[in-house]
Amino acid sequence: MKKHLEKEYKVTLDKERYLELLAELKIDKTYVQINHYYSAPLNAGIRIREKDHKYTFTLKVKADDKIIEYDIDLDKNDIDDPRIKALKEKMGIGDLRYLGDLKTTRSDIDLPKATLSLDKNEYLGITDYELEYELKDAAVDDIGPLKEVLKMNEIKVNENTKYARFLAANNGKTAIFCADGLEECEALIVMDLLKRAGLHVDLVSVNETNDILSSHNLLFKADKNFKDIDKDAYDVLVLPGGLKGTKTLSENKELIALIKKYKEEGKIIAAICAAPSIFVLNDLVKDDHFTVYPGFECGMRSSEKKAEVDDNVITGKGVGAAFEFSYQIIARLMGEDKATEVFKEIQYI
């Protein structure tokens, strides 16, 4: 077990500046490491790090200004190792949720009091570049050399996009299920607004391929395919409408079973336009506690609201309700203040 203060400083770079620094600075060593991340309580972080064909499990728990770190050497990437299970039980940590792998190509420069690293990070399908300054003696806070490097290269401190994506993945992962014939705005507007809130969103195709042709003949590619995703990795499942798209979703037995499972587990299920009819037909909503495009009530009474929230079920009336529908999803995951902030930024309110 280790106890130490976190003393790392990170600056994001554009690709050109990263390549310039890589060519100009004296590199001591370059290597690749992969961090496999899992969700944990808010005061803790869990990863399995792969470096030089060796694996290390790390649990970091924050207490005041100190980080208590537990390390376990592993023979392979195995989150179910008995020693990890015992540690989780001791710390009161329940089931973990996989957040994704971060692959870092790291070039280190050894300094007297610190290590300066140039990092190429690949995470959640995005690549970014970073300069990291890690003090060897965390009892001091000497960042003079870092300031000099930044000054010489005219580097300004920017938002760290990598950690913004970690936050997004941890706040709530959303899958928007897409099929040919969907109403494109009911998928793409929702995706856009949730991403603006800092949430991670996957467009998931239920077609054989990731190509989606919308009801208005817009051709676009989904991020992933239903047959390939980790079915338990999400916090929110969203079903866009569109007559043909809704029919395809409703006929996918595996998807229907997944929706029912999420409903029972208290995770959010959401549908808009014609798609709430899928919830009706599968006994997932009650009279007056859902909304749907007129004519798709399937014998039940719907409300007249643009968006309706009933416990963990969110429904929207149609394309014109896509903003209110998205607002309710964001508010449920991140709070009313965050939803309001996003909608003020886009000049909706």
Side-chain angles (χ1 to χ4, degrees), residues 71-111:
D71 289 333
I72 299 173
D73 292 331
L74 303 171
D75 295 325
K76 58 182 179 178
N77 178 13
D78 183 11
I79 197 69
D80 294 320
D81 184 283
R83 293 167 295 170
I84 295 176
K85 287 185 175 180
L87 181 58
K88 284 169 53 186
E89 185 175 340
K90 174 184 174 182
M91 302 298 294
I93 297 173
D95 292 336
L96 302 177
R97 183 163 58 83
Y98 168 67
L99 295 178
D101 294 346
L102 167 68
K103 178 182 178 183
T104 299
T105 303
R106 169 162 288 187
S107 298
D108 286 346
I109 300 100
D110 194 33
L111 302 174

Side-chain angles (χ1 to χ4, degrees), residues 39 95-99 166-177 194 198-202 229-238 258-259 261-263 265-270 311-314 329 332-334:
S39 65
D95 292 336
L96 302 177
R97 183 163 58 83
Y98 168 67
L99 295 178
F166 283 145
L167 182 62
N170 211 13
N171 277 336
K173 296 180 74 173
T174 300
I176 301 178
F177 294 101
L194 267 58
L199 296 165
H200 177 69
V201 183
D202 286 331
I229 64 169
D230 178 351
K231 304 296 191 294
D232 296 317
Y234 296 95
D235 303 279
V236 186
L237 306 182
V238 177
L258 186 65
I259 293 167
K261 181 173 183 283
Y262 270 54
K263 172 70 161 58
E265 292 176 348
K267 294 182 177 182
I268 297 172
I269 59 171
D311 193 18
N312 61 328
V313 180
I314 301 175
I329 296 173
R332 178 62 186 267
L333 287 172
M334 305 185 74

Side-chain angles (χ1 to χ4, degrees), residues 284-315:
L284 298 173
V285 291
K286 303 185 292 287
D287 278 333
D288 302 319
H289 288 262
F290 74 100
T291 190
V292 68
Y293 190 84
F296 287 86
E297 297 86 352
C298 300
M300 293 189 71
R301 295 191 310 273
S302 70
S303 81
E304 294 304 313
K305 293 181 181 179
K306 286 186 177 180
E308 185 75 61
V309 180
D310 182 31
D311 193 18
N312 61 328
V313 180
I314 301 175
T315 49

